[in-house]
Amino acid sequence: MSLRDAAFESMLQRRQLRGMIFEAIAFLAILIGLLTLALLFYDIITSGVERLSWDFLTSFPSRRASRAGILSALAGSVFLVSLMSIFAFPIGIGAAIYLEEYAPRGWLTDLIQVNIANLAGVPSIIYGLLGLGIFARLAEPITGGRTLLAGALTMALLVMPVVIIAAREAIRSVPSEIRLAALGLGATRWQMIRGHVLPYALPGILTGTILAISRALGETAPLITLGALTYVPFVPDGLRSQFTVLPIQIFNWVTRPQEAFHTNAAAAIIVLLAILLSMNALAIYLRYRFEKRLMK
Amino acid sequence: MTSQNIVQFDGPTILKAENVAVYYGDKQVLRDVMLSVPTHKITALIGPSGSGKSTLLRCFNRMNDLIRGARVEGQVTYHDQDLYDPEVDPVEVRRRIGMVFQKPNPFPKSIYENITWGARINGYRGTMDELVERSLRRAALWDEVKDRLHENALSLSGGQQQRLCIARAIAIEPEVILMDEPASALDPIATLKIEELMHELKENYTILIVTHNMQQAARVSDYTAMMMLTEDRNSATVIEFGKTQAIFTHPRDRRTEDYITGRIG
């Protein structure tokens, strides 16, 4: 029997062609994504890099664009996100552990799980309204109104679903053989979780938390709703201090008519991007480190 | 009901199943199981796929508790104490009755930590170094790993990993070791090592092993229990139990004979 068969080969060519067309489409898709990103970077960097300087990082905002800086916004962002982490991560990871390891399976658990996924998709401005109502108004005696504390609590609510979902995925990816091995040795459920599930899930949990931080760093809408100020010539000095954050500062500058402020905005965007990208790089690095420690 | 082919073992027994039935949700998978596991012997559970060998094995250290919807009825005893007494914590059971799984499942930690973890959580007081050496020696693994105790256990070969799992199980000083097809994922040489190891271990431990491999059952075990689906094929039970030699040379149950000679299964 001959290997080559004309009828089959013409069909085979068509089959191969389809594969190549799909490959081309997929390549085009990634190309468009990358080009857009490159263009964005190019535009921002060319318009803002001249303004970047140590002074820019260490000055307070000012009416004169050439003297304005981002110190209060930078400090506000860092404080806000740190404070948010303290609230969001223990609660989020705790909830994920409960849902994956302890919760009885049933319609109630399913309902909770579906709704956590839904919460992750709720527009952030809704969280802003919620924060305004609960943390800034209702809890004013504690938070002091539109303060850093109220902002951090609002942001914690916003990122919690993301943290829970990422942590659950990570916990669920722990092989059942490892769980059985631990329980088979007479471990209690908590000993199994503490000794094996959490260490194994740590890289995934960590990635989730860092992505949550990145998200919080870029959020503007909920903080504007909450009433974070646009002009803050001071570094927050406590939980009940008023504050601003980088995206709000950027938003403020972009809306000014003067060209010089637009340059300021571009420079501030570079700073924000640099922070975001280094956070993501950190996430990737930590994940790599922990996975390596686990496997080798 | 109970088959007349179940020889009641008259020596010392450590584990006993009486009229055991297991359900997964609505489905009954085991019924009327009678089995006595002789102390310091190797007992093999054989039978075709789906005859409930692993399910029965897991009754003895309450691993079935971990399967959603699983229910065990009847009596399972260890030294005549009911393992399913509401007062009994399964953690306590598993400390006495250890388990080795089908697929080697060392923790992704160092060889050393694999041994010490179980001992530590169970409150072992003693020198960990000694425990590690003693356990690894008993599992015939010491010479191969003594210079690399702090390397990750996943860097070992499959057979070494399985012996590490055995070492890990004996480090908490159980009386019984349940083995669920411990060599089915291993090559013949690694399998042979595990079998030799089992012979040494029965000095100190009682071993109950599930195996698909008839030759293996014949080679390693002192007693054999044959499991089979019941006539209606809805659930399975132990149809014959006795000395391995007797079962393999003069099976009393026709189905056992057919299975052993390869006519069914």
Side-chain angles (χ1 to χ4, degrees), chain B residues 177-224:
Chain B
I177 306 173
L178 308 176
M179 296 187 173
D180 192 354
E181 299 187 46
S184 66
L186 306 179
D187 66 57
I189 294 170
T191 301
L192 196 66
K193 281 192 177 157
I194 300 273
E195 289 178 5
E196 284 169 2
L197 174 58
M198 287 169 64
H199 267 298
E200 287 164 29
L201 288 175
K202 73 173 179 184
E203 297 261 321
N204 298 304
Y205 308 94
T206 301
I207 295 175
L208 182 59
I209 177 179
V210 165
T211 179
H212 255 118
N213 182 332
M214 223 72 57
Q215 286 80 20
Q216 182 171 63
R219 276 195 304 265
V220 302
S221 69
D222 304 301
Y223 290 83
T224 294

Side-chain angles (χ1 to χ4, degrees), chain A residues 213-235:
Chain A
I213 290 178
S214 304
R215 167 139 193 229
L217 272 174
E219 277 294 344
T220 326
L223 294 177
I224 290 180
T225 321
L226 191 74
L229 301 183
T230 50
Y231 179 75
V232 180
F234 52 84
V235 168

Side-chain angles (χ1 to χ4, degrees), chain A residues 5 87 98 112 127 179 190 199 203 242 274:
Chain A
D5 172 339
F87 296 123
Y98 179 78
I112 291 172
Y127 285 99
R179 297 165 191 274
W190 168 242
Q242 297 200 298

Side-chain angles (χ1 to χ4, degrees), chain A:
Chain A
M1 201 159 154
S2 143
L3 175 66
R4 311 204 54 177
D5 172 339
F8 180 84
E9 276 183 11
S10 79
M11 219 154 65
L12 181 63
Q13 256 173 5
R14 283 226 308 278
R15 280 159 62 189
Q16 300 282 25
L17 189 66
R18 277 189 202 170
M20 282 190 284
I21 291 172
F22 186 78
E23 188 182 338
I25 292 173
F27 178 71
L28 206 66
I30 183 75
L31 204 65
I32 291 172
L34 283 178
L35 275 181
T36 318
L37 196 65
L39 213 65
L40 200 75
F41 275 127
Y42 175 78
D43 184 44
I44 291 295
I45 288 171
T46 48
S47 47
V49 77
E50 58 183 275
R51 190 64 187 80
L52 272 185
S53 66
W54 187 246
D55 273 350
F56 182 69
L57 296 178
T58 56
S59 301
F60 290 113
S62 158
R63 265 173 303 159
R64 261 173 296 167
S66 58
R67 287 182 51 192
I70 55 168
L71 179 59
S72 49
L74 192 57
S77 277
V78 171
F79 290 174
L80 182 84
V81 165
S82 315
L83 201 55
M84 172 206 81
S85 306
I86 294 173
F87 296 123
F89 296 164
I91 298 177
I93 296 167
I97 293 175
Y98 179 78
L99 283 174
E100 281 303 311
E101 300 290 339
Y102 293 103
R105 292 282 175 270
W107 63 271
L108 186 62
T109 313
D110 287 347
L111 193 72
I112 291 172
Q113 290 176 354
V114 167
N115 278 300
I116 288 172
N118 283 341
L119 280 180
V122 169
S124 57
I125 195 155
I126 309 284
Y127 285 99
L129 289 168
L130 185 72
L132 180 68
I134 295 177
F135 301 129
R137 299 223 173 113
L138 214 60
E140 194 179 351
I142 304 163
T143 59
R146 306 165 168 223
T147 58
L148 192 61
L149 182 58
L153 287 168
T154 307
M155 280 302 194
L157 283 188
L158 176 76
V159 300
M160 201 109 63
V162 180
V163 175
I164 295 176
I165 290 170
R168 284 191 55 202
E169 297 283 328
I171 291 169
R172 203 177 314 158
S173 72
V174 178
S176 62
E177 294 92 46
I178 291 184
R179 297 165 191 274
L180 290 179
L183 294 173
L185 285 174
T188 62
R189 193 160 276 270
W190 168 242
Q191 285 171 328
M192 169 194 82
I193 295 171
R194 176 70 196 78
H196 301 287
V197 174
L198 286 184
Y200 200 97
L202 195 61
I205 294 177
L206 221 58
T207 311
T209 55
I210 291 175
L211 290 179
I213 290 178
S214 304
R215 167 139 193 229
L217 272 174
E219 277 294 344
T220 326
L223 294 177
I224 290 180
T225 321
L226 191 74
L229 301 183
T230 50
Y231 179 75
V232 180
F234 52 84
V235 168
D237 59 355
L239 294 182
R240 301 171 59 151
S241 169
Q242 297 200 298
F243 71 104
T244 191
V245 290
L246 272 174
I248 292 182
Q249 183 67 69
I250 292 165
F251 174 71
N252 173 285
W253 278 337
V254 169
T255 54
R256 303 280 186 97
Q258 300 94 325
E259 192 61 37
F261 278 113
H262 295 175
T263 310
N264 280 0
I269 289 173
I270 296 177
V271 175
L272 186 59
L273 275 178
I275 297 175
L276 285 177
L277 290 179
S278 21
M279 298 288 307
N280 282 320
L282 183 70
I284 294 167
Y285 171 73
L286 287 176
R287 185 177 195 120
Y288 171 77
R289 266 284 303 276
F290 280 109
E291 274 176 357
K292 219 176 116 186
R293 205 191 61 187
L294 216 56
M295 294 313 158
K296 201 60 214 168

